[in-house]
Amino acid sequence: MARILIIEDNAANMKLVCLLLRNAGHAVLCAVDAETGLTLARADQPELILMDIQLPGMDGLAATALLKQDPATAAIPVIALTAMAMKEDQEKTRAAGCDAYIAKPLRYQELYAVIDTLLVKREPQAASQANPLHQPP
């Protein structure tokens, strides 16, 4: 399946997300703060990132904006995770460059559905990057 980077400072939430993703067959990379997450994203090029919005130091929105500005990581889909689900939060996550938004507590069906949708959208990009001579019709 996919390599997914989780950037989450809460140990219980990290454990839950890791368990859910591993049970679905994904490989998991973990970071407890935005700075470590940015380093892992650049070095390991995961297929997807789950980004907690409320992180110590740099928050998840600022980290997402940096990922989307960097050509090496701009194409990696980012799912925002937040415990404070307010209407303006969803708008802020989109403005920062997040591809999707999930409110905590996590519901595994919603998490799997959003991940699957973003990974399917990414597959055609990955295929065209792997074969630069391939031109879409």
Side-chain angles (χ1 to χ4, degrees), residues 117-130:
T117 298
L118 290 174
L119 289 176
V120 167
K121 282 184 184 177
R122 187 174 157 87
E123 282 176 12
Q125 290 177 343
S128 65
Q129 288 170 356

Side-chain angles (χ1 to χ4, degrees), residues 50-71:
L50 292 174
M51 177 77 72
D52 183 23
I53 297 306
Q54 296 176 316
L55 294 167
M58 182 189 311
D59 71 17
L61 296 178
T64 298
L66 289 174
L67 287 167
K68 295 301 182 175
Q69 291 166 11
D70 183 340

Side-chain angles (χ1 to χ4, degrees), residues 16-100:
L16 173 63
V17 176
C18 285
L19 178 69
L20 291 173
L21 295 178
R22 287 185 178 127
N23 283 347
H26 299 293
V28 177
L29 303 165
C30 301
V32 296
D33 59 51
E35 292 81 2
T36 304
L38 291 170
T39 301
L40 283 173
R42 290 178 183 123
D44 294 320
Q45 294 290 301
E47 281 81 27
L48 189 98
I49 298 171
L50 292 174
M51 177 77 72
D52 183 23
I53 297 306
Q54 296 176 316
L55 294 167
M58 182 189 311
D59 71 17
L61 296 178
T64 298
L66 289 174
L67 287 167
K68 295 301 182 175
Q69 291 166 11
D70 183 340
T73 56
I76 301 171
V78 177
I79 300 173
L81 304 176
T82 184
M84 307 291 203
M86 297 184 183
K87 183 169 176 42
E88 57 270 10
D89 285 344
Q90 192 164 4
E91 293 161 12
K92 287 178 186 175
T93 62
R94 294 272 182 216
C98 294
D99 299 275

